[in-house]
């Protein structure tokens, strides 16, 4: 009898244990296996793109749909804001007669306002109204002849914010020759909007990379944080990798896009103060929560150099490559250092208003 009781107790305990394990398994389900769904749309903003959504295997169709939406967003922003497309809103604005209001989409109005703020925040170093100067140097490159100082002065006088008024529905230009170029900000803006498409689909993580400028969020396909190569202006120099949980990384420089006039290379970035190409800084990489901010400041610091770090918004971090080889030096903000996997050689950390040297 006692033996039978004991066997019964053991059976009941075993059953209870099985039920407990079963309950535990259903209350803490194993994390679903994640996959990275990628898309590589071509011919957007004259460059290559990579869009990725990280989702549970079962949600692949939702990810594919989100990536299609993100691609459509990139194309929509380009169609509105590219000066290379005769039918874009910005081209219509640039060719409109003075004093006539040109209606603009909320996106273009928003970005023009952001650009106007950026002009003030960067002390005029970032200025989308300098299209006449950009055009002057572009055609100088095509002709292979340097512009005269009179040409530069004329283009400079047409490049200023007094010549455009932003209204509730669009913009009105004043005076002849006004022209805006959103090439230094529209890519960042498009990346931000496209990333929102991936985020709002419920993906666990994602990235939008347009020609090396990118923004990411959440879970990467491998590991805990996103690993981003820092674009180097010198093929023989490796600037290392960034490890970021989320946010944008944009790089500007005179190494990728330039014109050659009378044997000298000139940057596609113009210093609005002199009206001449900004050639002193080989490259600038900025990390910021939004790609619009990172895009603006990568271009602005290419004009301003390290002095511009004092103007950098609190949420942005920067790395500036100074000087040509072999005297290359690299300077970065203390916050940027925290993203760096392996700090490159000859790195200087910018401490408040004075740089202090740090062994590489
Ligand atoms: P990339 O296009 O390689 O990312 P940038 O983000 O620095 O490079 O943008 C450079 C583009 O920005 C130029 O091709 C031109 O259209 C525009 N641009 C050039 N100089 C300035 C400036 N000082 N302020 C605002 N936009 C500029
Ligand atoms: Mg850029």
């Amino acid at each position: 009898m006692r033996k039978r009781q004991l066997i019964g107790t053991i059976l009941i305990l075993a059953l209870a244990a099985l039920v407990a394990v079963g309950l535990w398994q259903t209350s803490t389900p194993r994390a679903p296996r994640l996959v990275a769904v990628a898309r590589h749309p071509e011919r957007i903003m004259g460059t290559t793109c990579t869009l990725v959504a990280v989702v549970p295997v079962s949600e692949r169709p939702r990810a594919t749909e989100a990536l299609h939406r993100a691609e459509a967003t990139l194309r929509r922003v380009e169609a509105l804001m590219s000066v290379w497309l005769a039918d874009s809103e910005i081209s219509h604005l640039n060719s409109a007669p003075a004093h006539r209001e040109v209606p603009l989409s909320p996106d273009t109005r928003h970005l023009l306002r952001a650009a106007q703020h950026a002009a003030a925040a960067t002390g005029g170093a970032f200025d989308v109204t300098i299209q006449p100067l950009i055009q002057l140097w572009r055609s100088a490159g095509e002709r292979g002849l340097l512009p005269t100082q009179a040409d530069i002065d004329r283009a400079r006088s047409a490049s200023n914010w007094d010549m455009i008024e932003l209204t509730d529905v669009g913009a009105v230009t004043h005076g002849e020759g006004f022209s805006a170029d959103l090439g230094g900000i529209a890519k960042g803006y498009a990346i931000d909007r496209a990333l929102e498409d991936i985020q709002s689909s419920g993906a666990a993580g994602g990235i939008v990379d347009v020609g090396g400028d990118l923004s990411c969020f959440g879970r990467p396909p491998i590991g805990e944080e996103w690993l981003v190569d820092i674009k180097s202006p010198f093929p023989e120099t490796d600037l290392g990798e960034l490890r970021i949980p989320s946010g944008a990384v944009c790089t500007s420089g005179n190494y990728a896009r330039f014109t050659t006039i009378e044997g000298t290379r000139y940057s596609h970035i113009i210093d609005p103060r002199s009206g001449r190409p900004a050639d002193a800084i080989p490259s600038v990489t900025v990390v910021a929560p939004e790609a619009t901010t990172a895009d603006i400041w990568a271009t602005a610091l290419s004009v301003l150099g390290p002095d511009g770090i004092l103007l950098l918004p609190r949420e942005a971090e920067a790395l500036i490559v100074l000087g040509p080889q072999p005297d290359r030096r690299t300077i970065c903000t203390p916050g940027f250092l925290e993203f760096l996997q392996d700090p490159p050689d000859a790195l200087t950390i910018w401490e408040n208003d004075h740089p202090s040297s740090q062994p590489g």
Side-chain angles (χ1 to χ4, degrees), residues 291-306:
T292 310
T293 312
D295 203 8
I296 290 169
W297 282 95
T299 306
L301 292 180
S302 297
V303 172
L304 296 169

Side-chain angles (χ1 to χ4, degrees), residues 18-303:
L18 274 175
V19 170
V21 169
L23 281 177
W24 177 78
Q25 275 189 340
T26 48
S27 64
T28 55
R30 231 192 288 144
R33 200 159 63 84
L34 295 174
V35 286
V37 183
R39 188 167 174 80
H40 302 279
E42 285 179 8
R43 290 186 302 279
I44 298 183
M45 300 185 185
T47 188
T48 51
C49 305
T50 300
L51 312 176
V52 175
V54 179
V55 291
V57 186
S58 59
E59 289 178 25
R60 278 181 59 182
R62 192 134 65 97
T64 306
E65 204 182 292
L67 298 183
H68 272 105
R69 266 206 308 281
E71 176 180 344
T73 296
L74 294 177
R75 294 195 189 278
R76 181 175 58 81
V77 174
E78 181 181 26
L80 290 173
M81 302 188 195
S82 171
V83 289
W84 298 99
L85 304 173
D87 211 23
S88 68
E89 279 192 345
I90 206 73
S91 294
H92 284 296
L93 177 67
N94 289 345
S95 59
H99 312 301
R100 187 191 296 167
E101 189 172 50
V102 179
L104 299 169
S105 63
D107 280 298
T108 307
R109 290 205 308 272
H110 170 85
L111 207 61
L112 279 168
R113 284 196 198 282
Q116 196 172 27
H117 283 133
T122 61
F126 184 88
D127 185 349
V128 304
T129 73
I130 59 164
Q131 219 275 333
L133 284 165
I134 293 169
Q135 193 48 49
L136 177 71
W137 284 94
R138 197 172 284 147
S139 49
E142 282 157 12
R143 288 201 323 270
L145 267 181
L146 282 170
T148 64
Q149 188 58 44
D151 294 333
I152 294 173
D153 292 342
R154 207 170 313 113
R156 264 181 80 193
S157 63
S159 304
N160 74 70
W161 278 97
D162 294 339
M163 291 181 70
I164 178 168
E165 187 189 332
L166 304 179
T167 67
D168 288 344
V169 292
V172 186
T173 58
H174 302 294
E176 291 310 313
F178 173 86
S179 194
D181 180 338
L182 299 175
I185 186 172
K187 197 199 288 174
Y189 180 73
I191 291 171
D192 285 333
R193 298 291 77 81
L195 195 75
E196 274 173 3
D197 289 324
I198 302 176
Q199 268 175 310
S200 65
S201 75
I207 190 164
V208 174
D209 178 325
V210 181
D213 286 345
L214 60 88
S215 193
C216 57
F217 76 95
R219 288 281 305 271
I222 302 165
E224 295 299 316
E225 292 183 307
W226 296 85
L227 277 182
V228 178
D229 247 344
I230 304 177
K231 279 203 273 179
S232 171
F234 308 118
E236 66 279 18
T237 308
D238 183 2
L239 293 174
E241 283 176 325
L242 295 169
R243 193 181 269 282
I244 51 169
S246 67
V249 183
C250 292
T251 299
S252 282
N254 61 13
Y255 57 95
R257 290 205 284 137
F258 53 83
T259 46
T260 305
I261 309 172
E262 297 171 10
T264 303
R265 274 171 53 158
Y266 292 93
S267 175
H268 67 306
I269 297 170
I270 303 290
D271 185 337
R273 302 165 299 185
S274 63
R276 294 171 182 276
D279 278 298
I281 308 292
S283 89
V284 177
T285 297
V286 175
V287 178
E290 303 246 300
T292 310
T293 312
D295 203 8
I296 290 169
W297 282 95
T299 306
L301 292 180
S302 297
V303 172

